[in-house]
Amino acid sequence: WRFTFYIISFFTGLAVLYDKPWLWDHRECWTGYPQQPLQPSLFWYYLLELSFYWSLVFTLPFDVKRKDFKEQIVHHAATIFLISFSYCANYIRIGTLVMVIHDASDCFLEPTKIFNYMKWKKTCDSLFMIFSAVFLISRLVIFPYTVLYNTYYYSMEIFQPFFGYYFMNALLIILQLLHVFWSCLIIHMVYKFILQGTV
């Protein structure tokens, strides 16, 4: 069901954002802020994402406890705070960029897990390598350039720092630290795969 969600969410995000100017020119995130009207498509996209992450919180006690369980809790909490706060503070444009960037790699993670459980080793390994490349590029390159640089520097060209600036950036930094943590695990797994031929 997670795989189904990520596919729906990612393509919903692309459909909602493809004609939005801030997807292509990130300075547009701040044009007219805070008087940026909320379009119905953006509202439903936000509702879709927020409801999914709340469902992950409710199912967390029943999930298998993996080695990154604590990090998952921090991730879910930071994500819910980020989605909720960006909605309340009308950081909708930044929020939509964050969501679509994150869903890109998750589309490959869930089928990788499915094929791993099914013992389809070659399919699992191939999908894992694709997932690794998409994750590392989207979380360590695109996210910092598109979102972090945008919220730290572009916003300062228009506004002086205020509470929302600090709180939003703190949540985004927490998210980026988690990206670095998971990237280290993924790189270790890729290294092991190259040496031993197994993940």
Side-chain angles (χ1 to χ4, degrees):
W1 67 272
R2 290 185 186 187
F3 172 59
T4 304
F5 167 79
Y6 286 126
I7 291 293
I8 291 169
S9 180
F10 180 64
F11 285 104
T12 299
L14 289 180
V16 166
L17 293 178
Y18 83 96
D19 62 342
K20 303 297 186 288
W22 65 89
L23 180 63
W24 313 107
D25 180 3
H26 309 311
R27 290 177 192 267
E28 286 292 321
C29 288
W30 309 107
T31 301
Y33 182 83
Q35 308 301 324
Q36 296 171 335
L38 176 64
Q39 299 168 0
S41 59
L42 298 176
F43 169 79
W44 289 109
Y45 182 42
Y46 254 74
L47 195 60
L48 175 71
E49 291 277 346
L50 187 60
S51 60
F52 173 72
Y53 281 102
W54 270 112
S55 75
L56 291 183
V57 169
F58 291 133
T59 59
L60 209 54
F62 311 106
D63 285 348
V64 176
K65 306 294 188 287
R66 294 188 172 83
K67 67 173 95 173
D68 65 345
F69 182 72
K70 291 177 184 173
E71 289 80 7
Q72 285 287 355
I73 293 171
V74 172
H75 174 268
H76 296 340
T79 303
I80 288 169
F81 272 114
L82 193 58
I83 292 172
S84 303
F85 181 74
S86 66
Y87 182 84
C88 294
N90 209 22
Y91 283 126
I92 303 291
R93 296 180 179 186
I94 291 294
T96 55
L97 292 177
V98 173
M99 293 186 296
V100 80
I101 289 168
H102 280 72
D103 287 342
S105 62
D106 291 333
C107 289
F108 295 100
L109 176 61
E110 297 306 325
T112 302
K113 290 180 182 178
I114 291 168
F115 287 115
N116 181 45
Y117 297 144
M118 293 172 60
K119 309 293 186 197
W120 291 21
K121 186 179 180 315
K122 289 184 179 178
T123 307
C124 173
D125 291 346
S126 300
L127 280 170
F128 175 73
M129 296 307 285
I130 295 169
F131 160 75
S132 300
V134 174
F135 184 94
L136 295 172
I137 292 168
S138 64
R139 309 288 178 98
L140 298 183
V141 178
I142 296 173
F143 181 78
Y145 171 73
T146 304
V147 176
L148 293 180
Y149 190 82
N150 193 345
T151 56
Y152 270 93
Y153 298 106
Y154 287 165
S155 66
M156 294 291 286
E157 295 175 0
I158 303 171
F159 306 104
Q160 290 299 310
F162 60 104
F163 171 77
Y165 170 86
Y166 294 112
F167 189 68
M168 183 77 166
N169 282 309
L171 292 172
L172 291 171
I173 287 297
I174 290 170
L175 217 50
Q176 186 60 23
L177 291 174
L178 289 169
H179 295 165
V180 171
F181 170 77
W182 281 313
S183 295
C184 291
L185 294 180
I186 290 167
I187 290 167
H188 177 73
M189 291 172 73
V190 170
Y191 178 72
K192 188 176 177 182
F193 175 74
I194 291 170
L195 290 184
Q196 301 176 6
T198 184
V199 176

